[in-house]
Amino acid sequence: MLPEKMAVFLLRYVKFLNLLAPHLSTKIERNGMSVPSIDNIVSHFPKIVTPCKIIIITSIFGNYDKLSNPLFDYAGMKHCFHAYGDNSSLQLCKPWKLHRVNVPGVSTRDLSRIPKMLAFKWVMSPYILYVDGKHQLKLNPHFFIPRMGYCYDIAILLQPNRNTIEQEYNWIRKNRCYQGALRSCSLLDEQWALYKKKTPLAPAYEGSYFLLRRRENMDFMKYWFLNYSTYFKRDQLSLDHVLSAENVSVMKLGRQFHYKPSGQRAVTKAVGHIVKREKVCYDQISKDGIIPFVFFPSIFCHFYKIQ
């Protein structure tokens, strides 16, 4: 019994050290790659304190996409839209406030993931909506708040083409893993060997749009960043693992909310580089997509499923 208890203790201690490592040093080394500490990275981002119930953030680094207006009435959300980028030529677009950020030693690709995974460290609102630069918002995110209540930690789209983390891994292995692209295939295989033991049946999620509810313990988001930084640079694979491994309460948004089927309830419109179409930035505010308030007591958490 003693060796078994010692093994369990050591496994928990190693996991604890992995979570703590980014806070203890400027960087850690793994497989020849530097992983900057979370505290060091976050120091480059100004704290955001506004009366907004939801802060909406996006990140556009490099020369990939452009900003565009939301397709709903945002008149009462003047200070709620924040975009992060490093491109001096990126044009402003109402209602976005643009923050130009550079973190020495961090690549453009990694830099774009920091607002996605670590914004809770400097955004002080109760909810944070992250949306990729390749999307134009269609549905007012306040639609989801009464439905989330205190039941869920995150509302996120299900991946429309893949159902499980294993299918996600197989797709990446086939389409994104070749010599010279992102990282070596051996690192991806090492990552999957770990995930296969711990979360082999984890659902596959779409990491380009999610609504995060602030809670006291946000370690699962740090764990996501650590997994992305340590292994293959494909954040959806590590996201699938983290949400299951950390027992995060997930409100799964079904296919009709996804941008690819372009249904009436789609949360975003696909624009930018994924459809090779320019975004549009208008001076006027669209009146479409105004969502009425819906009272939804948290007592019904276990009976309600959003479809």
Side-chain angles (χ1 to χ4, degrees), residues 164-181:
T164 66
I165 189 173
E166 183 173 9
Q167 293 176 0
E168 183 72 28
Y169 160 73
N170 289 333
W171 185 90
I172 296 171
R173 195 68 171 79
K174 180 180 178 181
N175 297 281
R176 292 291 184 268
C177 177
Y178 49 90
Q179 200 61 35

Side-chain angles (χ1 to χ4, degrees), residues 89-129:
S89 63
L90 184 62
Q91 294 183 347
L92 289 174
C93 181
K94 294 179 181 179
W96 296 99
K97 179 178 180 180
L98 181 58
H99 304 270
R100 291 190 171 90
V101 180
N102 284 285
V103 180
V106 180
S107 69
T108 298
R109 181 180 180 84
D110 290 348
L111 203 53
S112 69
R113 296 325 192 260
I114 294 170
K116 187 174 191 173
M117 302 175 184
L118 300 178
F120 71 92
K121 297 283 286 183
W122 67 84
V123 176
M124 298 295 109
S125 64
Y127 294 88
I128 301 171
L129 177 75

Side-chain angles (χ1 to χ4, degrees), residues 286-299:
S286 169
K287 297 298 180 182
D288 296 332
I290 300 176
I291 304 298
F293 175 79
V294 178
F295 177 68
F296 185 76
S298 298
I299 193 172

Side-chain angles (χ1 to χ4, degrees), residues 5-280:
K5 290 183 178 179
M6 181 63 70
V8 172
F9 170 79
L10 289 175
L11 285 173
R12 290 178 178 174
Y13 185 66
V14 168
K15 183 178 179 181
F16 171 76
L17 289 180
N18 283 336
L19 288 172
L20 195 62
H23 300 280
L24 297 178
S25 59
T26 304
K27 62 182 181 181
I28 58 177
E29 296 289 339
R30 189 183 186 287
N31 296 327
M33 182 192 68
S34 297
V35 182
S37 75
I38 290 177
D39 290 339
N40 180 49
I41 289 173
V42 169
S43 67
H44 292 80
F45 291 80
K47 184 170 288 190
I48 296 175
V49 181
T50 76
C52 301
K53 192 166 188 177
I54 299 179
I55 290 291
I56 301 171
I57 62 174
T58 189
S59 57
I60 302 177
F61 289 85
N63 232 349
Y64 239 37
D65 290 303
K66 297 181 180 179
L67 290 171
S68 66
N69 308 108
L71 297 176
F72 58 81
D73 186 355
Y74 53 83
M77 304 173 67
K78 183 178 179 182
H79 303 291
C80 304
F81 294 80
H82 295 263
Y84 298 89
D86 62 344
N87 189 345
S88 59
S89 63
L90 184 62
Q91 294 183 347
L92 289 174
C93 181
K94 294 179 181 179
W96 296 99
K97 179 178 180 180
L98 181 58
H99 304 270
R100 291 190 171 90
V101 180
N102 284 285
V103 180
V106 180
S107 69
T108 298
R109 181 180 180 84
D110 290 348
L111 203 53
S112 69
R113 296 325 192 260
I114 294 170
K116 187 174 191 173
M117 302 175 184
L118 300 178
F120 71 92
K121 297 283 286 183
W122 67 84
V123 176
M124 298 295 109
S125 64
Y127 294 88
I128 301 171
L129 177 75
Y130 175 82
V131 58
D132 271 0
K134 61 189 177 186
H135 298 294
Q136 187 173 21
L137 288 167
K138 285 183 63 179
L139 183 64
N140 190 323
H142 285 86
F143 171 84
F144 294 114
I145 290 182
R147 291 158 175 81
M148 287 183 74
Y150 293 99
C151 306
Y152 301 102
D153 301 314
I154 188 171
I156 189 168
L157 294 166
L158 289 169
Q159 227 294 334
N161 302 316
R162 297 175 286 281
N163 296 321
T164 66
I165 189 173
E166 183 173 9
Q167 293 176 0
E168 183 72 28
Y169 160 73
N170 289 333
W171 185 90
I172 296 171
R173 195 68 171 79
K174 180 180 178 181
N175 297 281
R176 292 291 184 268
C177 177
Y178 49 90
Q179 200 61 35
L182 303 182
R183 304 286 299 282
S184 69
C185 297
S186 60
L187 198 56
L188 174 63
D189 293 337
E190 179 187 341
Q191 182 179 10
W192 172 239
L194 173 65
Y195 292 177
K196 189 176 181 179
K197 292 179 180 178
K198 295 187 174 182
T199 56
L201 301 177
Y205 297 103
E206 175 72 55
S208 61
Y209 177 101
F210 58 85
L211 178 63
L212 186 67
R213 181 176 66 85
R214 178 177 292 280
R215 66 181 196 180
E216 186 175 350
N217 184 352
M218 301 295 290
D219 281 349
F220 72 95
M221 295 298 286
K222 301 177 191 176
Y223 189 41
W224 182 20
F225 176 75
L226 184 61
N227 272 259
Y228 167 81
S229 301
T230 305
Y231 292 109
F232 194 83
K233 294 301 182 69
R234 186 76 182 181
D235 56 42
Q236 286 187 187
L237 183 65
S238 52
L239 174 64
D240 297 345
H241 166 70
V242 167
L243 292 182
S244 292
E246 298 298 300
N247 296 316
V248 180
S249 180
V250 180
M251 186 167 81
K252 301 172 183 176
L253 306 182
R255 185 176 176 82
Q256 72 274 24
F257 288 101
H258 203 277
Y259 63 90
K260 285 188 177 178
S262 299
Q264 292 184 350
R265 302 182 77 184
V267 292
T268 66
K269 177 182 179 181
V271 288
H273 73 273
I274 56 173
V275 290
K276 298 180 181 179
R277 181 169 67 236
E278 292 294 326
K279 289 189 173 187
V280 287

